[in-house]
Structures are given as structure tokens and as C-alpha cells.
Amino acid sequence: MRIADLLLSTLDRVLPRPTVAHAHCDLPCGVYDPAQARIEAESVKACMEKFNGSDDSVFKERAVAIKEQRADLVKHHLWVLWTDYFKPEHLEKHPTLHQLFWTATKAAGETKKTTDTAVAQKLLDSIAEIDSIFWETKK
Amino acid sequence: MRIADLLLSTLDRVLPRPTVAHAHCDLPCGVYDPAQARIEAESVKACMEKFNGSDDSVFKERAVAIKEQRADLVKHHLWVLWTDYFKPEHLEKHPTLHQLFWTATKAAGETKKTTDTAVAQKLLDSIAEIDSIFWETKK
Amino acid sequence: MRIADLLLSTLDRVLPRPTVAHAHCDLPCGVYDPAQARIEAESVKACMEKFNGSDDSVFKERAVAIKEQRADLVKHHLWVLWTDYFKPEHLEKHPTLHQLFWTATKAAGETKKTTDTAVAQKLLDSIAEIDSIFWETKK
Amino acid sequence: MRIADLLLSTLDRVLPRPTVAHAHCDLPCGVYDPAQARIEAESVKACMEKFNGSDDSVFKERAVAIKEQRADLVKHHLWVLWTDYFKPEHLEKHPTLHQLFWTATKAAGETKKTTDTAVAQKLLDSIAEIDSIFWETKK
Amino acid sequence: MRIADLLLSTLDRVLPRPTVAHAHCDLPCGVYDPAQARIEAESVKACMEKFNGSDDSVFKERAVAIKEQRADLVKHHLWVLWTDYFKPEHLEKHPTLHQLFWTATKAAGETKKTTDTAVAQKLLDSIAEIDSIFWETKK
Amino acid sequence: MRIADLLLSTLDRVLPRPTVAHAHCDLPCGVYDPAQARIEAESVKACMEKFNGSDDSVFKERAVAIKEQRADLVKHHLWVLWTDYFKPEHLEKHPTLHQLFWTATKAAGETKKTTDTAVAQKLLDSIAEIDSIFWETKK
């Protein structure tokens, strides 16, 4: 655990947790949050680790099947952000937005086809990049 | 926005975002995060606000229908936390856990039947309480 | 209660198959029935038996995958009963209710991780216990 | 049929609640039960009654939406019985089987388009007829 | 590629694409199209081919799991056509309709249990037969 | 009906229907077809027409709710095409691809918020454009 994480985690305990959320339906209700994609992507990576660390064939089969479902959720959450949250003015300021989402959702698809955690990490990195742009637009 | 939120939000920008996530499938992959329930509950509340602020009957109908779905997701995420994440040792330390989840999931059900944001806020408060216990068990 | 209802209700006992059902949505429509959870749990157990009785690896894989889905349905139906059907007055009369549902839904989760039919039977026993309390509250 | 089955079957009639269930997936696990369709159809009818007995427009809207979903579940459960459970030898003995299921699933579709409980009752009657044939084939 | 396909494909480019579609919800909106079942059935067959052509056990497992889901979609689309689109007057003109749909949906179930592409082809042939009756009723 | 449609429709009868399909899962099985998005979009437009042509408030409510679901399916099918089917070499040849899919999926979102068939037609036009590029890449 990096020192920054530790610090943030400590602050998380001390400070009241934020209650502002960030919309994700098509009403639109206005609540979006890249955390939804990130949590599922962490699960994808964890499934790979569980798969690699086990020699029980049924367990490994289940890890593959659950990874498949979680990767689907990652794609869904990212697609929703791309189409529903981001607006032309965001694209103007972040011209790589389309390519970034394309790469990220393709990476989510790749995680279905492998148990190499590096692929899952690449997906998490793409989501982190999207997350950072997302919060910049929220300022 | 309370000063604490502002501070946390500022720290969020300065510090690298945490990359540790918290499992939620039944492998189990070990990734759980009450944020999933909270985001959907925020959406429920936002749907109510949109409903109350509009006089377009089709839009209001859509707000009710989407709120129904989001409240279902809140219940699902909470149920998963209760059954899958929490263990007997947590219950021992937090004997109100069962009652807390029962109240919270019942509150989620209540949000389907009303457009009173106070009911959604009560749900968000219950989730915040669960969230706080959750992170204490993670220490 | 109209005389016709009383008569129908009496006939229900005398005649082979009950036609009265018991609500399960969040309207609420008032129709609940633990049979929904039980049928899926029987399917979970049957999948284990099929798994154990076969040496065809593809068939065994399918049995595991279908068992996973059926166990999810068991959990869902039990959670709905717990949150939506049972009221504080029931809890007062049956103080073990929370623990019973926690144990039962955890047992459903366990059935995903094993092909030991004893685990599925334990789940069925928990559902039978819930079923018995349910029908007592219906008297 | 073994004597034990016969005995159990007789006890089923005498004792309050049956605990034997009957398979419904495509493994096939061998567990089917028309009760699944019947419970949802009861819910459809209850939604109509709630709709007719209320003058709260939001509540009525929710009753219509939930009815729609429950009717879909009725159709699904009936289709599964028709395609997965029933075999050519059953059809030979019950030549109206196809027509019966067609009528029943069409009736389920009709319940979406009306709040006339007579239509829901017609659906329940069709399901009762299917249920009776089903149990005859199980003897 | 057969010459007829080539011709049709060429005409497809030259002529404006048809904008008349063929309803499939229960409003009913009036849009139905057997292409939905056919596309999923092609996917089922392709999954078998991929399964048979690979010796990577994880890939083969995924092929089986995805085939299972696609076969479910085939069944769903066919059931919807049977119950929702076809009317008594169609049945009168095509008295084998019930049997045809029963056979086709049973064939879809069979494709879950095998990786023999002949079974998937039989399913595709049944869908082609349904498709041909469908378009005849549309004239 | 335009003369071209009539002609195509006639040719549809005369020529054998194409049996080549075009993959859409993440195995990948290799079967994709923009027809899936188009059929759902036609349903969206038909729901609007039904809505506009009726003065039965329950029917109109159902039309809105079903339209919402169908528009979701349009988005899903388009996202799958964008991420799963299209490759960097296609993007190179069709540099507007990203923008085209963004516009199309945003248009699908717009159809949820209106009952103006012009918006649905705009969506259908975008899908037709995607369809034309898709088939060009298939040559």
C-alpha cells in the first residue's frame, strides 16, 4: 500500500464520507461515477488472481465465468459514461475521449480472453484516465 | 457543500486515487464496496427531485419507472454486502448489523412508493451507516 | 371473508392442488411464496447430483454454471421474502428470523462453491424452516 | 412408481406443505413446477386489483409496470415447461397441449393490455389446466 | 457464396435499404423479425466451430458458456414469434406451426448439450422454415 | 410503400434468403449484424406512433415504458458493434466512426425523452449509415 493511499484512507476515516454522487441513467437523473466501472474491473483482476492461484478445476472454471460477467459490467458502465455523461463541449476539451473509451472497452473485452493480470491492470489504468477527465469536467 | 466535503474533494484531486477495490461476487473475488449501493440511492433521490420539479406527465412517469429500477439495484447491492461480505465475527462486533440491513433494504423498498426525498435521504443515511461499519471492518 | 372464499379455502384443503398463491413484488401486490426459493434450491441440488453422476467434462462444466445461476435465484427469492414480506410484528414473534435468513442465503452462496449435496440439503432445510414460519404468519 | 413415491405422494395430500420440487433448467436438472407460472399470474391479478382499487395515479402507473414484468415471467415459465419439460409421448396422450400453451401464453400477453381481472383469471385457469396435465404425467 | 446470395447482396447495395420492420414487443408495437432468432443461432453454430477448432481449455469453456446464453436467446426470440406474432388465421393456413416451433425451440435446447454443428444447422433450418412462413403471412 | 421497397420485397421472395450471419459476442464468435440495432430502433419508432395515435392513458404509459427498454437495446447493440466488431484498420478507413457511433447512441438516448418520430427516424438514419459502413468492411 502506497503512503498516499494510506493517507487518503486515514482521511477517509476522519472526514465524513462525501454524500454527493454522480448520475448514470437516461432520465437523466444526473448521477454518474466512474467508480462503478472501476469496482467491476477490480473484480475482473481479482478473478484472474484467484484463477492463477488455484489448482481446483471447478473453482478455476467459476473464476473464468464470473470474470466474463464482470468484464461485461465494466463495458456497460463505460459505454454509459461515454454516451450519456460526456457532451460535445467535453470532447472539444478532451479530443482523445472517443479513442480513450474505445481502448478501454476493448481492453475490457480482452480481459475475458486471458488470465494475465497485466491486461486487467491496463484496463484499470484506462479507467483511471477516464476517471481523471471525468472529475476535471465536474470542477 | 460542507467544508469537510470540500476538503476531502480537494484531497481527492491532490492525492493519487486509490486503486484498491473491495470484492462483490460469490467466487468470492473479495471486492466489495458500499459505493455501489450509494450511487444507485443517489440516483433514486435525484429521480424524485426531477419528478417533483417537472410538470411533464411523460417525464414524471419515466422518473417513477427509473426510480423503481434504481431502488431495486440498491436492494441488490445491500443484500450482497449483508450475505456475502459480512461474517459472523463482524456481527459479533456490530450486533445491530442485521437490523441495519433490514431497515436499509426496507427503506429502499419505500423509495419506490413515494417521491418524498426525505425517504431517499433516510435510505442514504442507512447506507452511510453501513459504509462506516464496512470500512471499520476493513482496517 | 365471503362465504364463497371460505368454501374455496376449504375445498383447497380437500382437493389435490392448491390454487391460492402469495405475492412477491414491491408494489406490493401481496403475493409471496417460499416455493419460489425452494424450487430453485431443488434445482441446485439436482445439478450437483448430475455433476457427480457424470464424467463428461463439458456436461459437468454446464452443471456448475447452471448451479451458479440457480443459487443466485435462491438468494434473490429469499432476500425478497426477508425484506419485503416479513414485518416487525413477525420478527417480534420469530426473533431468529434475521439469523435464519442470513444462514440460508449464506448457504445458497456455499452451494456455488461445492458439489456436495449435503450443502444443498442444508439450504433446503433452512428454506423449509422459513417456509414453516411463513405459513404460520399467514394463518 | 416405487411404493415410497406413492406413499409420499399420498402424504403430500394429507400433510400441509409439499417439500418435493420439480426441475426447470436446460441441463436439464429435471426440476419443473407449474407453481412458478401460477405465482406470477396471481401477482398479475393482484396488480390489477390494486390498480382498480386505487386513485393515486403514480401508484396505478407502478401497478401497470409491475404487471407487465410479472406477465413476462408467466410467459417465460410457461414456455420453458412447454419446450423443455413436455416430451412427444406427453403430446400423444394430451394432443391439445400445443394449443393449450399457445392460449395460455397469449392470455398472459393479454393481461398486459388490460386491467380486467377476468382476463387474469382466464390465464390462471389455463395454468391450472396445464398444472393438472403436468401432475398427471408425473404419476 | 452462392450466386443468389451475391445477387441479393448486390441488390442490397443498389436499392435503398427497407425501412419496414417487423414488431416484437407486447405493446404490441408490431415489429417482428425472425432474423433475431437466426443471428443468435448462427452465433451458437459459430461457438461450436470455435470450440471444435481449439485446444485451449479456458477458451473451450467460454465457448460452451456463451453458446448456452445464445441458445437461450434463440429460444426467447422464437417463443415471442410463436405467441405474439402468429394469430389463429395463420395457424389455420399453416397447421404445422405449433409443431414447427416446438421442434425448433427443442432444437435450440439441444444445441446447449452438444458441440455437433449438425444440431445447430438443424436449428438454423427450422428457423429458415419459420422465416419463410413468417414472410408469407406478411405478403 | 416505395417502389424500391416493393421491388426488394419481391426479390426477397424469389431469391433464397441469405444464411450468412455476422457475429456479436465476445468469444468472439464472429457473428455481428446491425440488423439487431435496426429492429429495436424500428420498435422505438413504432412505440412513438402507437403513443401518438392513442388516447388511452394506460396504453400510452406502456408505450413509453416499452420504448425506454427498446432504446436501451438499440444502445447495447450499437455499443457492441463499435467496441467488438470494428477494428483499428476500419477506423483508419472510416475516420468518422467514433463520432458516428457517439451520435447514434446519443440519438437512441434522445428517443427515450420524446415521442417525436423524427428523432427515431434520425436514429434509424444513423444506424443505416453504420450498416452501410459495416457491410463495406465485410466485402
mmCIF file of all heavy atoms in Angstrom, chain E residues 68-98:
data_model
loop_
_atom_site.group_PDB
_atom_site.id
_atom_site.type_symbol
_atom_site.label_atom_id
_atom_site.label_comp_id
_atom_site.label_asym_id
_atom_site.label_seq_id
_atom_site.Cartn_x
_atom_site.Cartn_y
_atom_site.Cartn_z
ATOM 1 N N GLU E 68 -24.446 -21.423 -24.536
ATOM 2 C CA GLU E 68 -25.609 -21.604 -23.660
ATOM 3 C C GLU E 68 -26.494 -20.340 -23.652
ATOM 4 O O GLU E 68 -27.712 -20.404 -23.775
ATOM 5 C CB GLU E 68 -25.091 -21.887 -22.236
ATOM 6 C CG GLU E 68 -26.098 -22.496 -21.293
ATOM 7 C CD GLU E 68 -26.011 -24.025 -21.234
ATOM 8 O OE1 GLU E 68 -25.104 -24.617 -21.856
ATOM 9 O OE2 GLU E 68 -26.877 -24.626 -20.568
ATOM 10 N N GLN E 69 -25.850 -19.193 -23.521
ATOM 11 C CA GLN E 69 -26.602 -17.930 -23.481
ATOM 12 C C GLN E 69 -27.251 -17.608 -24.818
ATOM 13 O O GLN E 69 -28.383 -17.128 -24.876
ATOM 14 C CB GLN E 69 -25.661 -16.766 -23.109
ATOM 15 C CG GLN E 69 -25.112 -16.871 -21.706
ATOM 16 C CD GLN E 69 -23.924 -15.944 -21.485
ATOM 17 O OE1 GLN E 69 -23.440 -15.282 -22.405
ATOM 18 N NE2 GLN E 69 -23.440 -15.886 -20.251
ATOM 19 N N ARG E 70 -26.509 -17.853 -25.891
ATOM 20 C CA ARG E 70 -27.041 -17.550 -27.220
ATOM 21 C C ARG E 70 -28.220 -18.468 -27.551
ATOM 22 O O ARG E 70 -29.197 -18.047 -28.163
ATOM 23 C CB ARG E 70 -25.939 -17.669 -28.282
ATOM 24 C CG ARG E 70 -24.830 -16.643 -28.123
ATOM 25 C CD ARG E 70 -25.364 -15.236 -28.286
ATOM 26 N NE ARG E 70 -24.593 -14.237 -27.552
ATOM 27 C CZ ARG E 70 -24.900 -12.959 -27.538
ATOM 28 N NH1 ARG E 70 -25.958 -12.509 -28.194
ATOM 29 N NH2 ARG E 70 -24.183 -12.103 -26.857
ATOM 30 N N ALA E 71 -28.120 -19.733 -27.127
ATOM 31 C CA ALA E 71 -29.218 -20.672 -27.362
ATOM 32 C C ALA E 71 -30.462 -20.229 -26.597
ATOM 33 O O ALA E 71 -31.592 -20.366 -27.087
ATOM 34 C CB ALA E 71 -28.800 -22.080 -26.958
ATOM 35 N N ASP E 72 -30.250 -19.672 -25.424
ATOM 36 C CA ASP E 72 -31.377 -19.131 -24.652
ATOM 37 C C ASP E 72 -32.055 -17.998 -25.407
ATOM 38 O O ASP E 72 -33.282 -17.891 -25.416
ATOM 39 C CB ASP E 72 -30.873 -18.581 -23.297
ATOM 40 C CG ASP E 72 -31.189 -19.531 -22.158
ATOM 41 O OD1 ASP E 72 -31.997 -20.457 -22.350
ATOM 42 O OD2 ASP E 72 -30.623 -19.357 -21.067
ATOM 43 N N LEU E 73 -31.258 -17.142 -26.018
ATOM 44 C CA LEU E 73 -31.814 -16.030 -26.789
ATOM 45 C C LEU E 73 -32.591 -16.541 -28.003
ATOM 46 O O LEU E 73 -33.625 -15.983 -28.360
ATOM 47 C CB LEU E 73 -30.701 -15.067 -27.222
ATOM 48 C CG LEU E 73 -30.120 -14.231 -26.085
ATOM 49 C CD1 LEU E 73 -28.877 -13.470 -26.546
ATOM 50 C CD2 LEU E 73 -31.163 -13.229 -25.572
ATOM 51 N N VAL E 74 -32.075 -17.592 -28.643
ATOM 52 C CA VAL E 74 -32.800 -18.185 -29.771
ATOM 53 C C VAL E 74 -34.182 -18.623 -29.303
ATOM 54 O O VAL E 74 -35.200 -18.289 -29.929
ATOM 55 C CB VAL E 74 -32.056 -19.417 -30.345
ATOM 56 C CG1 VAL E 74 -32.923 -20.113 -31.406
ATOM 57 C CG2 VAL E 74 -30.712 -19.019 -30.939
ATOM 58 N N LYS E 75 -34.217 -19.355 -28.194
ATOM 59 C CA LYS E 75 -35.499 -19.823 -27.669
ATOM 60 C C LYS E 75 -36.439 -18.652 -27.394
ATOM 61 O O LYS E 75 -37.607 -18.676 -27.771
ATOM 62 C CB LYS E 75 -35.284 -20.637 -26.388
ATOM 63 C CG LYS E 75 -34.613 -21.986 -26.635
ATOM 64 C CD LYS E 75 -34.182 -22.682 -25.355
ATOM 65 C CE LYS E 75 -35.321 -23.448 -24.723
ATOM 66 N NZ LYS E 75 -34.848 -24.327 -23.611
ATOM 67 N N HIS E 76 -35.896 -17.632 -26.743
ATOM 68 C CA HIS E 76 -36.724 -16.479 -26.411
ATOM 69 C C HIS E 76 -37.325 -15.829 -27.659
ATOM 70 O O HIS E 76 -38.525 -15.559 -27.718
ATOM 71 C CB HIS E 76 -35.906 -15.455 -25.624
ATOM 72 C CG HIS E 76 -36.689 -14.230 -25.311
ATOM 73 N ND1 HIS E 76 -37.676 -14.206 -24.341
ATOM 74 C CD2 HIS E 76 -36.701 -12.989 -25.870
ATOM 75 C CE1 HIS E 76 -38.228 -13.012 -24.310
ATOM 76 N NE2 HIS E 76 -37.661 -12.258 -25.215
ATOM 77 N N HIS E 77 -36.482 -15.576 -28.647
ATOM 78 C CA HIS E 77 -36.978 -14.913 -29.860
ATOM 79 C C HIS E 77 -38.021 -15.780 -30.573
ATOM 80 O O HIS E 77 -38.999 -15.257 -31.112
ATOM 81 C CB HIS E 77 -35.820 -14.580 -30.809
ATOM 82 C CG HIS E 77 -34.966 -13.444 -30.334
ATOM 83 N ND1 HIS E 77 -35.474 -12.212 -29.987
ATOM 84 C CD2 HIS E 77 -33.622 -13.340 -30.128
ATOM 85 C CE1 HIS E 77 -34.492 -11.406 -29.610
ATOM 86 N NE2 HIS E 77 -33.360 -12.066 -29.679
ATOM 87 N N LEU E 78 -37.814 -17.084 -30.579
ATOM 88 C CA LEU E 78 -38.780 -17.971 -31.237
ATOM 89 C C LEU E 78 -40.103 -18.009 -30.465
ATOM 90 O O LEU E 78 -41.184 -17.950 -31.055
ATOM 91 C CB LEU E 78 -38.204 -19.386 -31.373
ATOM 92 C CG LEU E 78 -37.052 -19.533 -32.376
ATOM 93 C CD1 LEU E 78 -36.533 -20.978 -32.363
ATOM 94 C CD2 LEU E 78 -37.494 -19.156 -33.789
ATOM 95 N N TRP E 79 -40.008 -18.107 -29.156
ATOM 96 C CA TRP E 79 -41.232 -18.130 -28.341
ATOM 97 C C TRP E 79 -42.067 -16.856 -28.556
ATOM 98 O O TRP E 79 -43.286 -16.902 -28.640
ATOM 99 C CB TRP E 79 -40.864 -18.252 -26.848
ATOM 100 C CG TRP E 79 -40.454 -19.619 -26.392
ATOM 101 C CD1 TRP E 79 -40.870 -20.822 -26.892
ATOM 102 C CD2 TRP E 79 -39.551 -19.937 -25.295
ATOM 103 N NE1 TRP E 79 -40.277 -21.855 -26.179
ATOM 104 C CE2 TRP E 79 -39.485 -21.341 -25.198
ATOM 105 C CE3 TRP E 79 -38.819 -19.167 -24.389
ATOM 106 C CZ2 TRP E 79 -38.698 -21.998 -24.235
ATOM 107 C CZ3 TRP E 79 -38.044 -19.804 -23.433
ATOM 108 C CH2 TRP E 79 -37.974 -21.212 -23.360
ATOM 109 N N VAL E 80 -41.359 -15.715 -28.624
ATOM 110 C CA VAL E 80 -42.057 -14.445 -28.833
ATOM 111 C C VAL E 80 -42.788 -14.455 -30.180
ATOM 112 O O VAL E 80 -43.946 -14.048 -30.270
ATOM 113 C CB VAL E 80 -41.058 -13.256 -28.760
ATOM 114 C CG1 VAL E 80 -41.671 -11.977 -29.314
ATOM 115 C CG2 VAL E 80 -40.606 -13.044 -27.310
ATOM 116 N N LEU E 81 -42.114 -14.937 -31.201
ATOM 117 C CA LEU E 81 -42.767 -15.017 -32.520
ATOM 118 C C LEU E 81 -44.012 -15.899 -32.450
ATOM 119 O O LEU E 81 -45.081 -15.531 -32.950
ATOM 120 C CB LEU E 81 -41.815 -15.630 -33.559
ATOM 121 C CG LEU E 81 -40.799 -14.725 -34.223
ATOM 122 C CD1 LEU E 81 -39.972 -15.542 -35.208
ATOM 123 C CD2 LEU E 81 -41.466 -13.563 -34.961
ATOM 124 N N TRP E 82 -43.850 -17.056 -31.845
ATOM 125 C CA TRP E 82 -44.935 -18.042 -31.782
ATOM 126 C C TRP E 82 -46.166 -17.483 -31.066
ATOM 127 O O TRP E 82 -47.284 -17.516 -31.581
ATOM 128 C CB TRP E 82 -44.442 -19.313 -31.066
ATOM 129 C CG TRP E 82 -45.467 -20.405 -30.954
ATOM 130 C CD1 TRP E 82 -46.134 -21.027 -31.974
ATOM 131 C CD2 TRP E 82 -45.929 -21.028 -29.758
ATOM 132 N NE1 TRP E 82 -46.977 -21.994 -31.481
ATOM 133 C CE2 TRP E 82 -46.867 -22.010 -30.121
ATOM 134 C CE3 TRP E 82 -45.633 -20.849 -28.390
ATOM 135 C CZ2 TRP E 82 -47.531 -22.818 -29.181
ATOM 136 C CZ3 TRP E 82 -46.270 -21.651 -27.461
ATOM 137 C CH2 TRP E 82 -47.214 -22.619 -27.846
ATOM 138 N N THR E 83 -45.929 -16.952 -29.857
ATOM 139 C CA THR E 83 -47.051 -16.476 -29.046
ATOM 140 C C THR E 83 -47.562 -15.109 -29.480
ATOM 141 O O THR E 83 -48.775 -14.885 -29.525
ATOM 142 C CB THR E 83 -46.645 -16.392 -27.553
ATOM 143 O OG1 THR E 83 -46.469 -17.710 -27.051
ATOM 144 C CG2 THR E 83 -47.714 -15.687 -26.731
ATOM 145 N N ASP E 84 -46.642 -14.193 -29.808
ATOM 146 C CA ASP E 84 -47.054 -12.809 -30.004
ATOM 147 C C ASP E 84 -47.387 -12.475 -31.447
ATOM 148 O O ASP E 84 -48.318 -11.713 -31.703
ATOM 149 C CB ASP E 84 -45.947 -11.848 -29.518
ATOM 150 C CG ASP E 84 -45.674 -11.983 -28.034
ATOM 151 O OD1 ASP E 84 -46.348 -12.788 -27.360
ATOM 152 O OD2 ASP E 84 -44.759 -11.302 -27.529
ATOM 153 N N TYR E 85 -46.598 -13.004 -32.371
ATOM 154 C CA TYR E 85 -46.856 -12.623 -33.758
ATOM 155 C C TYR E 85 -47.955 -13.473 -34.408
ATOM 156 O O TYR E 85 -48.874 -12.934 -35.044
ATOM 157 C CB TYR E 85 -45.585 -12.700 -34.613
ATOM 158 C CG TYR E 85 -45.913 -12.485 -36.063
ATOM 159 C CD1 TYR E 85 -46.282 -11.214 -36.506
ATOM 160 C CD2 TYR E 85 -45.950 -13.543 -36.968
ATOM 161 C CE1 TYR E 85 -46.663 -10.998 -37.820
ATOM 162 C CE2 TYR E 85 -46.331 -13.333 -38.286
ATOM 163 C CZ TYR E 85 -46.693 -12.062 -38.711
ATOM 164 O OH TYR E 85 -47.091 -11.858 -40.003
ATOM 165 N N PHE E 86 -47.830 -14.776 -34.301
ATOM 166 C CA PHE E 86 -48.754 -15.633 -35.053
ATOM 167 C C PHE E 86 -50.165 -15.637 -34.465
ATOM 168 O O PHE E 86 -50.351 -15.698 -33.258
ATOM 169 C CB PHE E 86 -48.194 -17.047 -35.180
ATOM 170 C CG PHE E 86 -47.078 -17.130 -36.190
ATOM 171 C CD1 PHE E 86 -45.753 -17.197 -35.786
ATOM 172 C CD2 PHE E 86 -47.363 -17.099 -37.551
ATOM 173 C CE1 PHE E 86 -44.727 -17.232 -36.723
ATOM 174 C CE2 PHE E 86 -46.349 -17.138 -38.506
ATOM 175 C CZ PHE E 86 -45.022 -17.205 -38.081
ATOM 176 N N LYS E 87 -51.135 -15.559 -35.358
ATOM 177 C CA LYS E 87 -52.547 -15.452 -34.993
ATOM 178 C C LYS E 87 -53.298 -16.711 -35.463
ATOM 179 O O LYS E 87 -52.780 -17.430 -36.327
ATOM 180 C CB LYS E 87 -53.161 -14.217 -35.668
ATOM 181 C CG LYS E 87 -52.507 -12.881 -35.290
ATOM 182 C CD LYS E 87 -52.945 -12.394 -33.914
ATOM 183 C CE LYS E 87 -52.169 -11.164 -33.478
ATOM 184 N NZ LYS E 87 -50.707 -11.397 -33.299
ATOM 185 N N PRO E 88 -54.494 -16.959 -34.905
ATOM 186 C CA PRO E 88 -55.271 -18.139 -35.316
ATOM 187 C C PRO E 88 -55.410 -18.298 -36.833
ATOM 188 O O PRO E 88 -55.354 -19.419 -37.343
ATOM 189 C CB PRO E 88 -56.627 -17.907 -34.643
ATOM 190 C CG PRO E 88 -56.270 -17.148 -33.398
ATOM 191 C CD PRO E 88 -55.144 -16.240 -33.804
ATOM 192 N N GLU E 89 -55.558 -17.188 -37.569
ATOM 193 C CA GLU E 89 -55.710 -17.313 -39.027
ATOM 194 C C GLU E 89 -54.425 -17.847 -39.679
ATOM 195 O O GLU E 89 -54.494 -18.560 -40.686
ATOM 196 C CB GLU E 89 -56.133 -15.978 -39.673
ATOM 197 C CG GLU E 89 -55.211 -14.793 -39.444
ATOM 198 C CD GLU E 89 -55.628 -13.947 -38.242
ATOM 199 O OE1 GLU E 89 -56.213 -14.525 -37.286
ATOM 200 O OE2 GLU E 89 -55.365 -12.728 -38.235
ATOM 201 N N HIS E 90 -53.278 -17.529 -39.072
ATOM 202 C CA HIS E 90 -52.018 -18.073 -39.608
ATOM 203 C C HIS E 90 -51.953 -19.580 -39.349
ATOM 204 O O HIS E 90 -51.502 -20.356 -40.182
ATOM 205 C CB HIS E 90 -50.802 -17.415 -38.943
ATOM 206 C CG HIS E 90 -50.738 -15.943 -39.106
ATOM 207 N ND1 HIS E 90 -50.341 -15.096 -38.103
ATOM 208 C CD2 HIS E 90 -51.038 -15.144 -40.171
ATOM 209 C CE1 HIS E 90 -50.382 -13.842 -38.533
ATOM 210 N NE2 HIS E 90 -50.800 -13.850 -39.792
ATOM 211 N N LEU E 91 -52.390 -19.957 -38.161
ATOM 212 C CA LEU E 91 -52.365 -21.373 -37.776
ATOM 213 C C LEU E 91 -53.247 -22.195 -38.712
ATOM 214 O O LEU E 91 -52.894 -23.307 -39.114
ATOM 215 C CB LEU E 91 -52.855 -21.540 -36.331
ATOM 216 C CG LEU E 91 -52.832 -22.953 -35.787
ATOM 217 C CD1 LEU E 91 -51.414 -23.487 -35.686
ATOM 218 C CD2 LEU E 91 -53.517 -23.031 -34.420
ATOM 219 N N GLU E 92 -54.382 -21.604 -39.060
ATOM 220 C CA GLU E 92 -55.311 -22.290 -39.943
ATOM 221 C C GLU E 92 -54.643 -22.594 -41.287
ATOM 222 O O GLU E 92 -54.766 -23.692 -41.825
ATOM 223 C CB GLU E 92 -56.522 -21.383 -40.169
ATOM 224 C CG GLU E 92 -57.815 -22.134 -40.345
ATOM 225 C CD GLU E 92 -58.983 -21.157 -40.306
ATOM 226 O OE1 GLU E 92 -59.195 -20.510 -39.247
ATOM 227 O OE2 GLU E 92 -59.653 -21.017 -41.352
ATOM 228 N N LYS E 93 -53.907 -21.609 -41.782
ATOM 229 C CA LYS E 93 -53.234 -21.766 -43.082
ATOM 230 C C LYS E 93 -51.974 -22.615 -42.974
ATOM 231 O O LYS E 93 -51.555 -23.250 -43.940
ATOM 232 C CB LYS E 93 -52.852 -20.375 -43.623
ATOM 233 C CG LYS E 93 -53.546 -20.060 -44.949
ATOM 234 C CD LYS E 93 -53.030 -18.789 -45.570
ATOM 235 C CE LYS E 93 -52.584 -18.982 -47.006
ATOM 236 N NZ LYS E 93 -52.212 -17.673 -47.619
ATOM 237 N N HIS E 94 -51.354 -22.606 -41.789
ATOM 238 C CA HIS E 94 -50.114 -23.361 -41.567
ATOM 239 C C HIS E 94 -50.286 -24.259 -40.347
ATOM 240 O O HIS E 94 -49.755 -23.975 -39.280
ATOM 241 C CB HIS E 94 -48.939 -22.401 -41.359
ATOM 242 C CG HIS E 94 -48.731 -21.457 -42.490
ATOM 243 N ND1 HIS E 94 -48.029 -21.811 -43.628
ATOM 244 C CD2 HIS E 94 -49.158 -20.191 -42.698
ATOM 245 C CE1 HIS E 94 -48.026 -20.796 -44.470
ATOM 246 N NE2 HIS E 94 -48.704 -19.801 -43.933
ATOM 247 N N PRO E 95 -51.032 -25.341 -40.501
ATOM 248 C CA PRO E 95 -51.391 -26.172 -39.335
ATOM 249 C C PRO E 95 -50.198 -26.823 -38.622
ATOM 250 O O PRO E 95 -50.348 -27.285 -37.501
ATOM 251 C CB PRO E 95 -52.323 -27.238 -39.915
ATOM 252 C CG PRO E 95 -52.350 -27.062 -41.377
ATOM 253 C CD PRO E 95 -51.576 -25.858 -41.756
ATOM 254 N N THR E 96 -49.008 -26.805 -39.257
ATOM 255 C CA THR E 96 -47.841 -27.411 -38.593
ATOM 256 C C THR E 96 -47.098 -26.410 -37.705
ATOM 257 O O THR E 96 -46.052 -26.728 -37.149
ATOM 258 C CB THR E 96 -46.841 -27.936 -39.651
ATOM 259 O OG1 THR E 96 -46.403 -26.817 -40.432
ATOM 260 C CG2 THR E 96 -47.477 -28.979 -40.553
ATOM 261 N N LEU E 97 -47.646 -25.209 -37.624
ATOM 262 C CA LEU E 97 -46.957 -24.125 -36.909
ATOM 263 C C LEU E 97 -46.532 -24.497 -35.491
ATOM 264 O O LEU E 97 -45.371 -24.288 -35.101
ATOM 265 C CB LEU E 97 -47.881 -22.903 -36.867
ATOM 266 C CG LEU E 97 -47.216 -21.540 -36.763
ATOM 267 C CD1 LEU E 97 -46.393 -21.256 -38.002
ATOM 268 C CD2 LEU E 97 -48.279 -20.456 -36.604
ATOM 269 N N HIS E 98 -47.448 -25.020 -34.693
ATOM 270 C CA HIS E 98 -47.132 -25.385 -33.309
ATOM 271 C C HIS E 98 -45.980 -26.386 -33.267
ATOM 272 O O HIS E 98 -45.013 -26.218 -32.524
ATOM 273 C CB HIS E 98 -48.354 -26.016 -32.629
ATOM 274 C CG HIS E 98 -49.462 -25.059 -32.339
ATOM 275 N ND1 HIS E 98 -49.293 -23.704 -32.356
ATOM 276 C CD2 HIS E 98 -50.772 -25.266 -32.006
ATOM 277 C CE1 HIS E 98 -50.447 -23.114 -32.052
ATOM 278 N NE2 HIS E 98 -51.354 -24.046 -31.837
#
